[in-house]
């Protein structure tokens, strides 16, 4: 309920602005052909695409990652890396360096920083503390991700594979496996 209320108070436009600041809803730039864009929905998007008005309940759903949100695993990794590194959105890389067969450096490919300091460091510190609590606190829902001697920060979630309309009326056991929700856990370590 806390995040429902917080999302409602922040509003859809502010939620969307921060989601985009963390790299959601746009290609990450990773060198992989066919990267999906994802979607950060807004009232303007809904009017244009669905020809419907935005309703407040949709903002509440968005605030917990539900509704029309579409996020790729790579976008989620970029967002978590932004939290982990102190607020810089870094383009993900497949190749970090090129070497000869005997290990001699040919070319080092430096990181591409797409945006710097996207959030106040004090806010990021609070977010890191909360994510670390999910894993490291005795009552955390992600305790099974603990690694001895390393502070891990993360969050569990559920990835909806298809629209609920596709599985409407089906008992959970009768939903084809390819349409069932997926468990999700995003994390980074060490927190420091």
């Amino acid at each position: 309920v806390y995040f429902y209320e917080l999302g409602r108070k922040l509003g859809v436009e502010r939620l969307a602005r921060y989601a985009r600041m963390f790299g959601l809803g746009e290609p990450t730039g990773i060198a992989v052909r066919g990267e999906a864009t994802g979607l950060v929905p807004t009232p303007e998007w809904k009017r244009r695409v669905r020809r419907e008005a935005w309703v407040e309940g949709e903002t509440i759903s968005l605030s917990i990652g539900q509704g029309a949100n579409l996020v790729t695993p790579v976008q989620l990794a970029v967002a978590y890396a932004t939290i982990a590194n102190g607020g810089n959105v870094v383009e993900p890389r497949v190749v970090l360096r090129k070497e000869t067969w005997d290990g001699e450096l040919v070319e080092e490919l430096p990181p591409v920083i797409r945006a710097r300091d996207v959030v106040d460091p004090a806010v990021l510190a609070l977010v890191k503390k909360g994510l670390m609590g999910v894993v490291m606190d005795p009552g955390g829902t992600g305790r099974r991700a603990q690694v001895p001697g390393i502070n891990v920060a993360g969050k569990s979630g559920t990835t909806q594979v298809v629209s609920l309309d596709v599985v409407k009326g089906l008992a959970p056991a009768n939903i084809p496996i390819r349409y069932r929700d997926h468990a999700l856990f995003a994390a980074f370590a060490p927190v420091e």
Side-chain angles (χ1 to χ4, degrees), residues 61-177:
S61 290
L62 291 182
S63 70
I64 62 166
Q66 293 182 351
N69 283 314
L70 294 175
V71 176
T72 69
V74 176
Q75 288 174 345
L76 193 57
V78 168
Y80 269 68
T82 302
I83 296 166
N85 74 31
N88 297 321
V89 180
V90 180
E91 192 170 283
R93 298 176 286 163
V94 176
V95 177
L96 302 180
R97 56 190 284 154
K98 297 176 185 176
E99 298 177 354
T100 62
W101 285 105
D102 59 354
E104 185 179 324
L105 178 65
V106 174
E107 181 183 8
E108 187 129 16
L109 303 171
V112 174
I113 298 176
R114 298 179 85 166
R116 292 186 183 277
D117 304 320
V118 296
V119 178
D120 182 320
V123 172
L124 279 179
L126 288 172
V127 172
K128 279 185 184 181
K129 183 179 178 185
L131 290 171
M132 191 167 97
V134 168
V135 178
M136 304 306 291
D137 287 354
T141 57
R143 291 184 317 277
R144 294 178 70 190
Q146 289 182 359
V147 177
I150 299 174
N151 287 322
V152 179
K155 180 70 180 87
S156 60
T158 303
T159 302
Q160 184 179 341
V161 178
V162 296
S163 168
L164 292 178
D165 294 341
V166 174
V167 296
K168 190 175 186 176
L170 293 176
N174 294 333
I175 297 173
I177 287 180

